[in-house]
Amino acid sequence: DAGVIQSPRHEVTEMGQEVTLRCKPISGHDYLFWYRQTMMRGLELLIYFNNNVPIDDSGMPEDRFSAKMPNASFSTLKIQPSEPRDSAVYFCASGGSEAFFGQGTRLTVV
Amino acid sequence: QQPVQSPQAVILREGEDAVINCSSSKALYSVHWYRQKHGEAPVFLMILLKGGEQKGHEKISASFNEKKQQSSLYLTASQLSYSGTYFCGTDAGGTSYGKLTFGQGTILTVHP
Protein backbone atom coordinates (compact mmCIF):
# COMPACT_ATOMS: atom_id res chain seq x y z
CA ASP A 1 0.00 0.00 0.00
CA ALA A 2 1.27 3.50 -0.79
CA GLY A 3 0.24 4.81 2.59
CA VAL A 4 -1.77 7.95 3.24
CA ILE A 5 -1.39 10.31 0.30
CA GLN A 6 -1.77 14.05 0.69
CA SER A 7 -1.71 16.76 -1.93
CA PRO A 8 -0.33 19.22 -2.51
CA ARG A 9 2.89 18.83 -0.49
CA HIS A 10 3.44 22.57 -0.45
CA GLU A 11 0.99 25.40 -0.96
CA VAL A 12 1.68 29.10 -0.97
CA THR A 13 -1.33 31.34 -1.25
CA GLU A 14 -2.33 34.90 -0.67
CA MET A 15 -4.48 35.96 2.23
CA GLY A 16 -8.16 35.75 1.37
CA GLN A 17 -7.80 32.95 -1.13
CA GLU A 18 -9.49 29.58 -0.82
CA VAL A 19 -7.24 26.63 -0.07
CA THR A 20 -8.17 22.97 -0.49
CA LEU A 21 -6.05 20.19 0.95
CA ARG A 22 -6.61 16.62 -0.19
CA CYS A 23 -6.15 13.25 1.41
CA LYS A 24 -6.40 9.66 0.25
CA PRO A 25 -6.44 7.32 3.26
CA ILE A 26 -5.19 3.77 3.37
CA SER A 27 -7.79 1.41 1.96
CA GLY A 28 -9.80 -0.35 4.64
CA HIS A 29 -9.17 2.15 7.41
CA ASP A 30 -12.35 3.25 9.15
CA TYR A 31 -11.00 6.42 10.75
CA LEU A 32 -9.60 9.53 9.15
CA PHE A 33 -8.07 12.40 11.09
CA TRP A 34 -6.96 15.89 10.14
CA TYR A 35 -4.22 17.39 12.30
CA ARG A 36 -2.45 20.73 12.18
CA GLN A 37 1.12 21.25 13.40
CA THR A 38 2.71 24.56 14.31
CA MET A 39 5.66 25.50 16.48
CA MET A 40 3.45 27.42 18.87
CA ARG A 41 0.56 25.00 19.29
CA GLY A 42 2.16 21.67 18.42
CA LEU A 43 0.09 18.89 16.88
CA GLU A 44 -3.64 19.57 17.13
CA LEU A 45 -6.57 17.43 16.06
CA LEU A 46 -8.95 19.40 13.88
CA ILE A 47 -11.61 16.86 12.94
CA TYR A 48 -12.04 13.14 12.51
CA PHE A 49 -14.33 10.86 10.55
CA ASN A 50 -15.55 7.34 11.14
CA ASN A 51 -16.83 5.52 8.09
CA ASN A 52 -16.98 8.82 6.19
CA VAL A 53 -19.12 10.49 8.86
CA PRO A 54 -17.70 13.49 10.77
CA ILE A 55 -17.64 12.54 14.44
CA ASP A 56 -15.92 15.40 16.21
CA ASP A 57 -15.06 18.76 14.69
CA SER A 58 -14.48 20.56 17.98
CA GLY A 59 -10.87 21.22 16.99
CA MET A 60 -11.76 23.16 13.86
CA PRO A 61 -10.62 26.67 14.74
CA GLU A 62 -13.22 28.74 12.91
CA ASP A 63 -16.05 28.60 10.43
CA ARG A 64 -13.50 29.34 7.76
CA PHE A 65 -12.43 25.71 8.05
CA SER A 66 -14.50 22.88 6.65
CA ALA A 67 -13.83 19.23 5.94
CA LYS A 68 -15.61 16.62 3.90
CA MET A 69 -15.27 12.92 3.23
CA PRO A 70 -17.50 12.11 0.28
CA ASN A 71 -16.31 8.51 0.13
CA ALA A 72 -13.97 6.08 1.86
CA SER A 73 -11.02 6.98 -0.34
CA PHE A 74 -11.03 10.75 -0.31
CA SER A 75 -11.22 13.66 2.10
CA THR A 76 -10.71 17.40 1.78
CA LEU A 77 -9.94 20.19 4.20
CA LYS A 78 -10.91 23.62 2.95
CA ILE A 79 -9.99 27.03 4.30
CA GLN A 80 -11.98 29.95 2.96
CA PRO A 81 -10.83 32.68 3.26
CA SER A 82 -7.27 31.87 4.28
CA GLU A 83 -5.30 34.03 6.74
CA PRO A 84 -1.58 34.20 7.55
CA ARG A 85 -2.19 32.55 10.94
CA ASP A 86 -3.39 29.45 9.10
CA SER A 87 0.18 28.81 7.99
CA ALA A 88 1.11 25.36 9.30
CA VAL A 89 1.72 21.77 8.28
CA TYR A 90 -1.57 19.93 7.87
CA PHE A 91 -1.50 16.17 8.32
CA CYS A 92 -4.08 13.64 7.37
CA ALA A 93 -3.95 10.30 9.16
CA SER A 94 -5.98 7.13 8.84
CA GLY A 95 -6.30 3.97 10.86
CA GLY A 96 -7.59 3.10 14.26
CA SER A 97 -5.52 2.44 17.36
CA GLU A 98 -2.47 2.95 15.19
CA ALA A 99 -2.75 6.07 13.08
CA PHE A 100 -0.75 6.28 9.86
CA PHE A 101 0.13 9.84 8.92
CA GLY A 102 0.50 11.24 5.46
CA GLN A 103 3.54 13.34 4.58
CA GLY A 104 1.63 16.52 5.24
CA THR A 105 0.87 19.70 3.34
CA ARG A 106 2.96 22.71 4.26
CA LEU A 107 0.67 25.71 3.87
CA THR A 108 2.02 29.24 3.75
CA VAL A 109 -0.44 32.12 3.61
CA VAL A 110 1.17 35.45 2.72
CA GLN B 1 -5.80 19.54 28.24
CA GLN B 2 -2.44 18.96 26.62
CA PRO B 3 -0.23 16.34 28.33
CA VAL B 4 3.13 17.55 29.59
CA GLN B 5 6.30 15.88 28.39
CA SER B 6 9.67 15.95 30.09
CA PRO B 7 12.41 16.58 29.40
CA GLN B 8 11.99 19.00 26.50
CA ALA B 9 15.24 17.85 24.95
CA VAL B 10 17.78 15.07 25.44
CA ILE B 11 21.25 14.68 23.97
CA LEU B 12 22.81 11.22 24.00
CA ARG B 13 25.78 9.33 22.67
CA GLU B 14 25.15 6.08 20.84
CA GLY B 15 24.53 3.25 23.26
CA GLU B 16 23.21 5.43 26.08
CA ASP B 17 19.73 5.13 27.54
CA ALA B 18 16.98 7.71 27.88
CA VAL B 19 13.56 8.06 29.49
CA ILE B 20 10.84 10.38 28.26
CA ASN B 21 7.89 11.10 30.50
CA CYS B 22 4.33 12.11 29.71
CA SER B 23 1.90 13.37 32.35
CA SER B 24 -1.76 14.24 32.12
CA SER B 25 -4.14 15.99 34.49
CA LYS B 26 -6.97 13.81 33.21
CA ALA B 27 -7.70 10.14 33.78
CA LEU B 28 -6.47 8.37 30.70
CA TYR B 29 -7.76 5.45 28.71
CA SER B 30 -4.79 5.12 26.40
CA VAL B 31 -1.41 6.63 25.64
CA HIS B 32 0.14 6.54 22.17
CA TRP B 33 3.78 7.24 21.35
CA TYR B 34 5.00 8.63 18.04
CA ARG B 35 8.38 9.64 16.66
CA GLN B 36 8.77 12.39 14.08
CA LYS B 37 11.95 13.09 12.17
CA HIS B 38 12.58 16.56 10.83
CA GLY B 39 10.40 17.31 7.83
CA GLU B 40 8.64 13.97 8.00
CA ALA B 41 5.36 12.62 9.29
CA PRO B 42 4.92 11.24 12.80
CA VAL B 43 5.38 7.48 12.93
CA PHE B 44 3.53 5.26 15.37
CA LEU B 45 5.67 3.49 17.96
CA MET B 46 3.23 1.91 20.39
CA ILE B 47 -0.02 2.18 22.29
CA LEU B 48 -0.62 1.51 25.96
CA LEU B 49 -4.13 0.82 27.11
CA LYS B 50 -5.65 1.19 30.55
CA GLY B 51 -5.27 -2.11 32.28
CA GLY B 52 -2.84 -3.31 29.65
CA GLU B 53 0.71 -4.51 29.90
CA GLN B 54 3.93 -2.70 29.21
CA LYS B 55 4.61 -2.67 25.50
CA GLY B 56 7.86 -2.99 23.63
CA HIS B 57 9.18 -2.16 20.19
CA GLU B 58 12.74 -3.32 19.47
CA LYS B 59 14.83 -1.56 22.12
CA ILE B 60 12.06 0.91 22.87
CA SER B 61 9.54 0.10 25.56
CA ALA B 62 6.96 2.02 27.53
CA SER B 63 4.91 1.86 30.68
CA PHE B 64 1.60 3.36 31.74
CA ASN B 65 0.79 4.24 35.35
CA GLU B 66 -2.99 4.69 35.36
CA LYS B 67 -3.16 5.97 38.92
CA LYS B 68 -0.73 8.78 38.23
CA GLN B 69 -1.91 9.39 34.64
CA GLN B 70 1.67 9.04 33.51
CA SER B 71 3.49 7.17 30.82
CA SER B 72 7.19 6.73 30.27
CA LEU B 73 9.06 5.79 27.11
CA TYR B 74 12.33 3.92 27.60
CA LEU B 75 15.00 3.94 24.91
CA THR B 76 17.86 1.58 25.61
CA ALA B 77 21.20 1.35 23.84
CA SER B 78 20.22 4.29 21.65
CA GLN B 79 21.09 4.32 17.96
CA LEU B 80 21.61 7.24 15.61
CA SER B 81 18.27 6.37 14.00
CA TYR B 82 16.48 7.15 17.26
CA SER B 83 17.04 10.86 16.78
CA GLY B 84 13.84 12.81 16.32
CA THR B 85 10.99 14.36 18.25
CA TYR B 86 8.94 12.03 20.41
CA PHE B 87 5.31 12.79 21.07
CA CYS B 88 2.90 11.21 23.46
CA GLY B 89 -0.75 11.35 22.51
CA THR B 90 -3.38 10.78 25.13
CA ASP B 91 -7.00 9.76 24.99
CA ALA B 92 -9.24 10.36 27.97
CA GLY B 93 -12.41 9.50 26.14
CA GLY B 94 -12.52 5.77 26.58
CA THR B 95 -11.41 4.87 23.09
CA SER B 96 -8.23 3.38 21.72
CA TYR B 97 -8.19 5.02 18.33
CA GLY B 98 -6.34 8.08 17.20
CA LYS B 99 -8.48 10.92 18.60
CA LEU B 100 -5.51 12.18 20.52
CA THR B 101 -4.25 15.18 22.40
CA PHE B 102 -0.51 15.42 21.86
CA GLY B 103 2.18 16.68 24.17
CA GLN B 104 4.61 19.36 23.04
CA GLY B 105 7.25 16.83 22.13
CA THR B 106 10.71 15.80 23.35
CA ILE B 107 13.62 16.35 21.01
CA LEU B 108 16.08 13.46 21.15
CA THR B 109 19.49 13.82 19.56
CA VAL B 110 21.85 10.85 19.39
CA HIS B 111 25.49 11.55 18.53
CA PRO B 112 28.09 8.99 17.37
Tab-separated table of all heavy atoms in Angstrom, chain B residues 30-74:
chain	number	residue	atom	x	y	z
B	30	SER	N	-5.917	5.638	27.163
B	30	SER	CA	-4.793	5.117	26.395
B	30	SER	C	-3.749	6.197	26.181
B	30	SER	O	-4.042	7.391	26.234
B	30	SER	CB	-5.262	4.583	25.041
B	30	SER	OG	-5.788	5.621	24.242
B	31	VAL	N	-2.518	5.738	25.971
B	31	VAL	CA	-1.410	6.630	25.641
B	31	VAL	C	-0.738	6.068	24.385
B	31	VAL	O	-0.462	4.873	24.303
B	31	VAL	CB	-0.379	6.720	26.780
B	31	VAL	CG1	0.781	7.627	26.375
B	31	VAL	CG2	-1.043	7.212	28.054
B	32	HIS	N	-0.497	6.941	23.420
B	32	HIS	CA	0.141	6.545	22.169
B	32	HIS	C	1.467	7.295	22.055
B	32	HIS	O	1.536	8.475	22.373
B	32	HIS	CB	-0.731	6.931	20.972
B	32	HIS	CG	-2.141	6.389	21.023
B	32	HIS	ND1	-2.748	5.792	19.951
B	32	HIS	CD2	-3.050	6.345	22.018
B	32	HIS	CE1	-3.967	5.418	20.282
B	32	HIS	NE2	-4.185	5.757	21.541
B	33	TRP	N	2.478	6.605	21.564
B	33	TRP	CA	3.781	7.240	21.353
B	33	TRP	C	4.125	7.268	19.873
B	33	TRP	O	3.946	6.263	19.165
B	33	TRP	CB	4.860	6.502	22.126
B	33	TRP	CG	4.815	6.752	23.598
B	33	TRP	CD1	4.213	5.988	24.552
B	33	TRP	CD2	5.408	7.852	24.298
B	33	TRP	NE1	4.384	6.545	25.797
B	33	TRP	CE2	5.130	7.692	25.664
B	33	TRP	CE3	6.157	8.968	23.893
B	33	TRP	CZ2	5.554	8.580	26.642
B	33	TRP	CZ3	6.587	9.854	24.863
B	33	TRP	CH2	6.285	9.661	26.220
B	34	TYR	N	4.599	8.431	19.425
B	34	TYR	CA	5.000	8.634	18.040
B	34	TYR	C	6.391	9.249	17.999
B	34	TYR	O	6.808	9.952	18.917
B	34	TYR	CB	4.031	9.582	17.316
B	34	TYR	CG	2.704	8.960	16.961
B	34	TYR	CD1	1.703	8.823	17.915
B	34	TYR	CD2	2.462	8.497	15.670
B	34	TYR	CE1	0.491	8.242	17.587
B	34	TYR	CE2	1.246	7.919	15.335
B	34	TYR	CZ	0.273	7.790	16.305
B	34	TYR	OH	-0.935	7.215	15.969
B	35	ARG	N	7.089	8.995	16.908
B	35	ARG	CA	8.376	9.644	16.659
B	35	ARG	C	8.284	10.376	15.317
B	35	ARG	O	7.777	9.833	14.335
B	35	ARG	CB	9.521	8.638	16.609
B	35	ARG	CG	10.873	9.257	16.273
B	35	ARG	CD	12.005	8.245	16.421
B	35	ARG	NE	11.870	7.095	15.566
B	35	ARG	CZ	12.375	5.884	15.854
B	35	ARG	NH1	13.006	5.679	16.993
B	35	ARG	NH2	12.212	4.884	15.015
B	36	GLN	N	8.776	11.581	15.308
B	36	GLN	CA	8.768	12.387	14.079
B	36	GLN	C	10.178	12.887	13.787
B	36	GLN	O	10.787	13.556	14.625
B	36	GLN	CB	7.813	13.575	14.222
B	36	GLN	CG	7.663	14.406	12.957
B	36	GLN	CD	6.686	15.556	13.133
B	36	GLN	OE1	6.527	16.094	14.218
B	36	GLN	NE2	6.022	15.952	12.059
B	37	LYS	N	10.666	12.561	12.611
B	37	LYS	CA	11.949	13.095	12.175
B	37	LYS	C	11.710	14.391	11.430
B	37	LYS	O	10.616	14.624	10.893
B	37	LYS	CB	12.679	12.066	11.315
B	37	LYS	CG	13.100	10.827	12.112
B	37	LYS	CD	13.908	9.860	11.277
B	37	LYS	CE	14.319	8.648	12.101
B	37	LYS	NZ	15.366	8.979	13.081
B	38	HIS	N	12.714	15.220	11.398
B	38	HIS	CA	12.575	16.562	10.835
B	38	HIS	C	12.053	16.517	9.402
B	38	HIS	O	12.609	15.820	8.555
B	38	HIS	CB	13.916	17.290	10.874
B	38	HIS	CG	13.837	18.698	10.408
B	38	HIS	ND1	13.172	19.679	11.112
B	38	HIS	CD2	14.302	19.286	9.288
B	38	HIS	CE1	13.258	20.823	10.466
B	38	HIS	NE2	13.940	20.607	9.351
B	39	GLY	N	10.968	17.226	9.171
B	39	GLY	CA	10.405	17.307	7.825
B	39	GLY	C	9.604	16.090	7.398
B	39	GLY	O	9.189	16.007	6.241
B	40	GLU	N	9.382	15.179	8.337
B	40	GLU	CA	8.643	13.968	7.997
B	40	GLU	C	7.367	13.862	8.828
B	40	GLU	O	7.101	14.675	9.708
B	40	GLU	CB	9.527	12.744	8.219
B	40	GLU	CG	10.765	12.725	7.345
B	40	GLU	CD	11.603	11.473	7.560
B	40	GLU	OE1	11.161	10.576	8.301
B	40	GLU	OE2	12.700	11.404	6.988
B	41	ALA	N	6.592	12.848	8.550
B	41	ALA	CA	5.355	12.622	9.291
B	41	ALA	C	5.629	11.875	10.593
B	41	ALA	O	6.605	11.128	10.685
B	41	ALA	CB	4.388	11.810	8.438
B	42	PRO	N	4.800	12.049	11.590
B	42	PRO	CA	4.918	11.237	12.796
B	42	PRO	C	4.705	9.763	12.465
B	42	PRO	O	3.869	9.414	11.631
B	42	PRO	CB	3.795	11.760	13.693
B	42	PRO	CG	3.486	13.125	13.179
B	42	PRO	CD	3.723	13.053	11.697
B	43	VAL	N	5.470	8.921	13.142
B	43	VAL	CA	5.378	7.479	12.925
B	43	VAL	C	5.003	6.812	14.241
B	43	VAL	O	5.617	7.087	15.281
B	43	VAL	CB	6.714	6.908	12.398
B	43	VAL	CG1	6.655	5.385	12.319
B	43	VAL	CG2	7.035	7.499	11.037
B	44	PHE	N	4.025	5.948	14.188
B	44	PHE	CA	3.528	5.264	15.374
B	44	PHE	C	4.594	4.338	15.951
B	44	PHE	O	5.241	3.576	15.229
B	44	PHE	CB	2.288	4.457	14.993
B	44	PHE	CG	1.719	3.605	16.097
B	44	PHE	CD1	0.875	4.159	17.036
B	44	PHE	CD2	2.018	2.262	16.168
B	44	PHE	CE1	0.328	3.378	18.048
B	44	PHE	CE2	1.485	1.463	17.167
B	44	PHE	CZ	0.636	2.020	18.111
B	45	LEU	N	4.757	4.396	17.279
B	45	LEU	CA	5.674	3.490	17.960
B	45	LEU	C	4.895	2.429	18.739
B	45	LEU	O	5.148	1.238	18.590
B	45	LEU	CB	6.579	4.269	18.921
B	45	LEU	CG	7.586	5.220	18.289
B	45	LEU	CD1	8.348	5.984	19.366
B	45	LEU	CD2	8.552	4.454	17.394
B	46	MET	N	3.989	2.880	19.605
B	46	MET	CA	3.231	1.913	20.389
B	46	MET	C	2.056	2.578	21.080
B	46	MET	O	1.983	3.794	21.192
B	46	MET	CB	4.123	1.238	21.428
B	46	MET	CG	4.646	2.156	22.512
B	46	MET	SD	5.850	1.309	23.533
B	46	MET	CE	7.212	1.174	22.384
B	47	ILE	N	1.148	1.733	21.539
B	47	ILE	CA	-0.019	2.184	22.290
B	47	ILE	C	-0.058	1.435	23.610
B	47	ILE	O	0.265	0.249	23.668
B	47	ILE	CB	-1.324	1.947	21.489
B	47	ILE	CG1	-2.553	2.343	22.308
B	47	ILE	CG2	-1.434	0.504	21.039
B	47	ILE	CD1	-3.862	2.232	21.544
B	48	LEU	N	-0.429	2.141	24.654
B	48	LEU	CA	-0.623	1.511	25.963
B	48	LEU	C	-2.052	1.778	26.394
B	48	LEU	O	-2.504	2.908	26.401
B	48	LEU	CB	0.360	2.092	26.988
B	48	LEU	CG	1.819	1.826	26.625
B	48	LEU	CD1	2.474	3.101	26.130
B	48	LEU	CD2	2.570	1.272	27.805
B	49	LEU	N	-2.731	0.708	26.720
B	49	LEU	CA	-4.130	0.816	27.111
B	49	LEU	C	-4.282	0.679	28.614
B	49	LEU	O	-3.527	-0.033	29.261
B	49	LEU	CB	-4.961	-0.273	26.414
B	49	LEU	CG	-4.933	-0.267	24.884
B	49	LEU	CD1	-5.726	-1.448	24.349
B	49	LEU	CD2	-5.500	1.030	24.360
B	50	LYS	N	-5.302	1.321	29.127
B	50	LYS	CA	-5.646	1.192	30.548
B	50	LYS	C	-5.836	-0.277	30.867
B	50	LYS	O	-6.557	-0.994	30.156
B	50	LYS	CB	-6.925	1.970	30.820
B	50	LYS	CG	-7.366	1.964	32.259
B	50	LYS	CD	-8.624	2.814	32.408
B	50	LYS	CE	-9.103	2.786	33.839
B	50	LYS	NZ	-10.318	3.614	34.011
B	51	GLY	N	-5.149	-0.712	31.892
B	51	GLY	CA	-5.268	-2.113	32.282
B	51	GLY	C	-4.403	-3.042	31.457
B	51	GLY	O	-4.405	-4.255	31.666
B	52	GLY	N	-3.659	-2.478	30.509
B	52	GLY	CA	-2.839	-3.306	29.651
B	52	GLY	C	-1.447	-3.487	30.200
B	52	GLY	O	-1.083	-2.964	31.239
B	53	GLU	N	-0.648	-4.217	29.468
B	53	GLU	CA	0.711	-4.507	29.897
B	53	GLU	C	1.680	-3.518	29.264
B	53	GLU	O	1.352	-2.811	28.338
B	53	GLU	CB	1.099	-5.919	29.483
B	53	GLU	CG	0.226	-7.003	30.089
B	53	GLU	CD	0.604	-8.383	29.583
B	53	GLU	OE1	1.466	-8.484	28.696
B	53	GLU	OE2	0.019	-9.356	30.078
B	54	GLN	N	2.874	-3.516	29.804
B	54	GLN	CA	3.932	-2.697	29.213
B	54	GLN	C	4.217	-3.225	27.814
B	54	GLN	O	4.299	-4.432	27.585
B	54	GLN	CB	5.184	-2.782	30.082
B	54	GLN	CG	6.339	-1.965	29.577
B	54	GLN	CD	7.467	-1.872	30.599
B	54	GLN	OE1	7.236	-1.941	31.791
B	54	GLN	NE2	8.684	-1.712	30.134
B	55	LYS	N	4.381	-2.291	26.885
B	55	LYS	CA	4.607	-2.670	25.501
B	55	LYS	C	6.061	-2.453	25.122
B	55	LYS	O	6.751	-1.629	25.708
B	55	LYS	CB	3.715	-1.830	24.578
B	55	LYS	CG	2.237	-2.035	24.786
B	55	LYS	CD	1.780	-3.354	24.238
B	55	LYS	CE	0.262	-3.455	24.287
B	55	LYS	NZ	-0.205	-4.737	23.728
B	56	GLY	N	6.487	-3.154	24.101
B	56	GLY	CA	7.861	-2.993	23.634
B	56	GLY	C	7.934	-2.952	22.135
B	56	GLY	O	7.077	-3.469	21.438
B	57	HIS	N	8.963	-2.290	21.646
B	57	HIS	CA	9.177	-2.160	20.194
B	57	HIS	C	10.676	-2.110	19.998
B	57	HIS	O	11.308	-1.083	20.239
B	57	HIS	CB	8.500	-0.874	19.710
B	57	HIS	CG	8.767	-0.540	18.289
B	57	HIS	ND1	8.127	-1.178	17.258
B	57	HIS	CD2	9.602	0.359	17.736
B	57	HIS	CE1	8.567	-0.648	16.119
B	57	HIS	NE2	9.450	0.277	16.370
B	58	GLU	N	11.284	-3.219	19.582
B	58	GLU	CA	12.743	-3.319	19.475
B	58	GLU	C	13.349	-2.949	20.824
B	58	GLU	O	13.032	-3.554	21.829
B	58	GLU	CB	13.257	-2.435	18.342
B	58	GLU	CG	12.723	-2.851	16.980
B	58	GLU	CD	13.187	-1.921	15.878
B	58	GLU	OE1	13.687	-0.832	16.181
B	58	GLU	OE2	13.053	-2.302	14.715
B	59	LYS	N	14.206	-1.951	20.854
B	59	LYS	CA	14.827	-1.557	22.119
B	59	LYS	C	14.091	-0.382	22.742
B	59	LYS	O	14.631	0.309	23.597
B	59	LYS	CB	16.289	-1.211	21.876
B	59	LYS	CG	17.121	-2.419	21.469
B	59	LYS	CD	18.570	-2.050	21.272
B	59	LYS	CE	19.372	-3.264	20.854
B	59	LYS	NZ	20.789	-2.954	20.614
B	60	ILE	N	12.870	-0.158	22.319
B	60	ILE	CA	12.061	0.913	22.870
B	60	ILE	C	10.865	0.291	23.569
B	60	ILE	O	10.146	-0.519	22.978
B	60	ILE	CB	11.592	1.879	21.764
B	60	ILE	CG1	12.791	2.472	21.032
B	60	ILE	CG2	10.720	2.975	22.338
B	60	ILE	CD1	12.434	3.323	19.834
B	61	SER	N	10.671	0.634	24.806
B	61	SER	CA	9.541	0.104	25.559
B	61	SER	C	8.864	1.246	26.291
B	61	SER	O	9.394	2.362	26.355
B	61	SER	CB	9.999	-0.973	26.537
B	61	SER	OG	10.925	-0.433	27.468
B	62	ALA	N	7.695	0.965	26.842
B	62	ALA	CA	6.957	2.022	27.530
B	62	ALA	C	6.105	1.428	28.629
B	62	ALA	O	5.762	0.241	28.592
B	62	ALA	CB	6.082	2.802	26.544
B	63	SER	N	5.778	2.260	29.580
B	63	SER	CA	4.905	1.861	30.680
B	63	SER	C	3.808	2.895	30.851
B	63	SER	O	3.916	4.032	30.386
B	63	SER	CB	5.714	1.739	31.980
B	63	SER	OG	6.278	2.996	32.329
B	64	PHE	N	2.761	2.493	31.560
B	64	PHE	CA	1.603	3.358	31.744
B	64	PHE	C	1.132	3.198	33.185
B	64	PHE	O	0.690	2.106	33.575
B	64	PHE	CB	0.504	2.950	30.760
B	64	PHE	CG	-0.764	3.748	30.823
B	64	PHE	CD1	-0.824	4.992	31.427
B	64	PHE	CD2	-1.928	3.255	30.245
B	64	PHE	CE1	-1.998	5.724	31.473
B	64	PHE	CE2	-3.111	3.978	30.269
B	64	PHE	CZ	-3.151	5.205	30.883
B	65	ASN	N	1.260	4.249	33.971
B	65	ASN	CA	0.789	4.244	35.345
B	65	ASN	C	-0.571	4.930	35.379
B	65	ASN	O	-0.666	6.157	35.334
B	65	ASN	CB	1.801	4.978	36.250
B	65	ASN	CG	1.442	4.888	37.716
B	65	ASN	OD1	0.267	4.934	38.084
B	65	ASN	ND2	2.443	4.746	38.567
B	66	GLU	N	-1.627	4.139	35.445
B	66	GLU	CA	-2.991	4.688	35.364
B	66	GLU	C	-3.321	5.567	36.550
B	66	GLU	O	-4.011	6.579	36.423
B	66	GLU	CB	-3.991	3.538	35.277
B	66	GLU	CG	-3.813	2.662	34.058
B	66	GLU	CD	-4.491	1.325	34.235
B	66	GLU	OE1	-5.505	1.252	34.935
B	66	GLU	OE2	-3.993	0.336	33.658
B	67	LYS	N	-2.821	5.207	37.713
B	67	LYS	CA	-3.155	5.969	38.922
B	67	LYS	C	-2.566	7.375	38.870
B	67	LYS	O	-3.179	8.338	39.325
B	67	LYS	CB	-2.658	5.233	40.160
B	67	LYS	CG	-3.434	3.960	40.469
B	67	LYS	CD	-2.941	3.321	41.755
B	67	LYS	CE	-3.738	2.056	42.066
B	67	LYS	NZ	-3.269	1.392	43.307
B	68	LYS	N	-1.392	7.471	38.302
B	68	LYS	CA	-0.732	8.778	38.230
B	68	LYS	C	-0.979	9.473	36.893
B	68	LYS	O	-0.501	10.581	36.689
B	68	LYS	CB	0.775	8.615	38.452
B	68	LYS	CG	1.153	8.154	39.852
B	68	LYS	CD	2.668	8.138	40.009
B	68	LYS	CE	3.064	7.744	41.427
B	68	LYS	NZ	4.545	7.725	41.607
B	69	GLN	N	-1.685	8.844	35.998
B	69	GLN	CA	-1.910	9.391	34.645
B	69	GLN	C	-0.581	9.734	33.985
B	69	GLN	O	-0.402	10.816	33.426
B	69	GLN	CB	-2.795	10.642	34.670
B	69	GLN	CG	-4.245	10.354	34.993
B	69	GLN	CD	-4.550	10.652	36.434
B	69	GLN	OE1	-4.766	9.738	37.214
B	69	GLN	NE2	-4.584	11.909	36.774
B	70	GLN	N	0.339	8.813	34.083
B	70	GLN	CA	1.667	9.039	33.513
B	70	GLN	C	2.088	7.870	32.647
B	70	GLN	O	1.742	6.718	32.929
B	70	GLN	CB	2.702	9.205	34.633
B	70	GLN	CG	2.556	10.479	35.441
B	70	GLN	CD	3.581	10.542	36.564
B	70	GLN	OE1	4.230	9.553	36.907
B	70	GLN	NE2	3.728	11.723	37.160
B	71	SER	N	2.872	8.200	31.635
B	71	SER	CA	3.488	7.168	30.822
B	71	SER	C	4.950	7.530	30.638
B	71	SER	O	5.309	8.709	30.613
B	71	SER	CB	2.799	7.074	29.465
B	71	SER	OG	3.424	6.088	28.654
B	72	SER	N	5.771	6.516	30.518
B	72	SER	CA	7.193	6.728	30.272
B	72	SER	C	7.629	5.887	29.081
B	72	SER	O	7.195	4.743	28.933
B	72	SER	CB	8.015	6.361	31.504
B	72	SER	OG	7.730	7.224	32.579
B	73	LEU	N	8.485	6.473	28.271
B	73	LEU	CA	9.060	5.788	27.110
B	73	LEU	C	10.520	5.543	27.401
B	73	LEU	O	11.255	6.468	27.774
B	73	LEU	CB	8.898	6.648	25.857
B	73	LEU	CG	9.308	6.018	24.519
B	73	LEU	CD1	8.310	4.939	24.114
B	73	LEU	CD2	9.389	7.088	23.437
B	74	TYR	N	10.963	4.298	27.278
B	74	TYR	CA	12.329	3.915	27.598
B	74	TYR	C	13.063	3.558	26.310
B	74	TYR	O	12.623	2.676	25.566
B	74	TYR	CB	12.339	2.703	28.530
B	74	TYR	CG	11.517	2.891	29.784
B	74	TYR	CD1	10.198	2.464	29.835
B	74	TYR	CD2	12.062	3.509	30.917
B	74	TYR	CE1	9.429	2.640	30.969
B	74	TYR	CE2	11.288	3.684	32.063
B	74	TYR	CZ	9.980	3.253	32.081
B	74	TYR	OH	9.214	3.436	33.212
